[in-house]
Amino acid sequence: MAEEKELVLLDFWVSPFGQRCRIAMAEKGLEFEYREEDLGNKSDLLLRSNPVHRKIPVLLHAGRPVSESLVILQYLDDAFPGTPHLLPPANSGDADAAYARATARFWADYVDKKLYDCGSRLWRLKGEPQAAAGREMAEILRTLEAELGDREFFGGGGGGRLGFVDVALVPFTAWFYSYERCGGFSVEEVAPRLAAWARRCGRIDSVAKHLPSPEKVYDFVGVLKKKYGVE
C-alpha cells in the first residue's frame, strides 16, 4: 500500500475524469490525498504539474505528475503491480491478453469521445439540436449495453470485479439523470441492462464513496447552463 501522501490527486468534485482516478485507487486499496481545485482560479501546483493542458485530474506520485485520467489508470496498474489490475496483465507474447487490453482501451476511448461529448452537447443545446443529441445519447448507451452483454461487469482485470472500462464509464452514471432530463429519454427504457449494471456498480463501496448524487450533478448542470447562457 502506498504511504500516506505519497499519492496526491488534484481534482474537482464533480469531474467524472477525476472520479475515475479516485475509484481506481480505492479499488486498489491505495491511500491518497485529495486536493480540490478551484477551476476558476487554478493553483500554481496544478499549472506547474500540467503545463500543457492546465486541467485536472493530475496524480502526483512522490511529487512526479501524471496527467489525463485514462493514462493515470494505466499508470496505477504499472506502478502498483501488487494491487488488483484494471487491465489484464501484460504477458509477453500472449496475444489473447494483448487483445483484451486493446479492447478495453477502445471502449474507454469510446466513452470519452462519444458519451462525454454528446453529454456536453445535451445541456448546451436547445430545441431540435438538443433532441437530436438525446437520440444520439440513447444510441450510445445501447452500443455500450451491447458490449456489456450478459456480463455482470465489463471487466478487464478479471475475477468478476470492476475493470478498466467499468472504472472509465461508471462516473458518468451520476450524470444519467441529467442526460434524461435534458434529452427526453429514460436510460432504463433504452438500455435496461446498462441501467442494471449502473445500479450494481453503485452498491460497490469504491463507487458509492466517490460519486455525487444524480440530483447534485443536475444542480451543477443548472449552474453551467446559467454560466454559458443556455437556460
Side-chain angles (χ1 to χ4, degrees):
M1 182 173 291
E3 296 179 2
E4 187 176 3
K5 297 186 179 180
E6 182 185 8
L7 292 170
V8 177
L9 185 67
L10 309 182
D11 199 358
F12 181 62
W13 70 273
V14 77
S15 168
F17 304 104
Q19 289 158 7
R20 288 172 171 171
C21 304
R22 287 178 251 161
I23 291 168
M25 287 188 282
E27 281 289 295
K28 289 174 171 290
L30 298 171
E31 297 287 340
F32 66 97
E33 178 184 344
Y34 174 87
R35 294 190 189 177
E36 177 80 0
E37 283 285 331
D38 178 355
L39 300 187
N41 183 27
K42 297 175 182 178
S43 70
D44 289 340
L45 178 59
L46 174 59
L47 297 178
R48 290 197 312 271
S49 301
N50 190 359
V52 176
H53 297 302
R54 302 165 69 88
K55 64 183 182 180
I56 55 92
V58 174
L59 179 69
L60 300 172
H61 183 195
R64 296 186 296 184
V66 183
S67 302
E68 298 295 302
S69 63
L70 295 182
V71 175
I72 291 171
L73 297 190
Q74 294 176 73
Y75 175 82
L76 291 169
D77 266 0
D78 293 340
F80 300 96
T83 64
H85 280 263
L86 299 174
L87 284 167
N91 299 314
S92 178
D94 186 339
D96 289 341
Y99 181 76
R101 290 166 66 85
T103 300
R105 291 190 185 105
F106 171 87
W107 285 108
D109 185 66
Y110 180 88
V111 170
D112 283 2
K113 289 181 177 175
K114 298 291 287 185
L115 188 144
Y116 172 69
D117 175 73
C118 185
S120 297
R121 284 187 279 116
L122 268 175
W123 64 261
R124 287 177 181 268
L125 299 174
K126 297 180 180 179
E128 176 52 31
Q130 185 183 56
R135 293 190 293 271
E136 181 182 346
M137 177 59 77
E139 186 59 34
I140 289 168
L141 296 175
R142 291 188 189 100
T143 299
L144 288 166
E145 179 180 67
E147 170 60 20
L148 175 64
D150 294 325
R151 290 174 291 174
E152 186 177 14
F153 300 109
F154 287 90
R161 53 178 173 75
L162 298 183
F164 192 74
V165 181
D166 299 288
V167 174
L169 177 58
V170 74
F172 291 95
T173 62
W175 291 75
F176 280 4
Y177 176 67
S178 297
Y179 297 160
E180 291 174 326
R181 292 291 299 269
C182 295
F185 67 90
S186 164
V187 175
E188 186 69 48
E189 291 179 2
V190 303
R193 286 179 296 174
L194 191 68
W197 165 85
R199 290 191 293 272
R200 282 194 297 274
C201 291
R203 293 191 288 267
I204 298 173
D205 288 345
S206 62
V207 175
K209 180 179 179 181
H210 293 292
L211 292 192
S213 71
E215 293 77 17
K216 192 172 181 180
V217 172
Y218 186 66
D219 288 343
F220 178 73
V221 169
V223 172
L224 291 175
K225 286 183 174 183
K226 289 181 180 179
K227 179 179 179 179
Y228 292 99
V230 293
E231 280 196 308

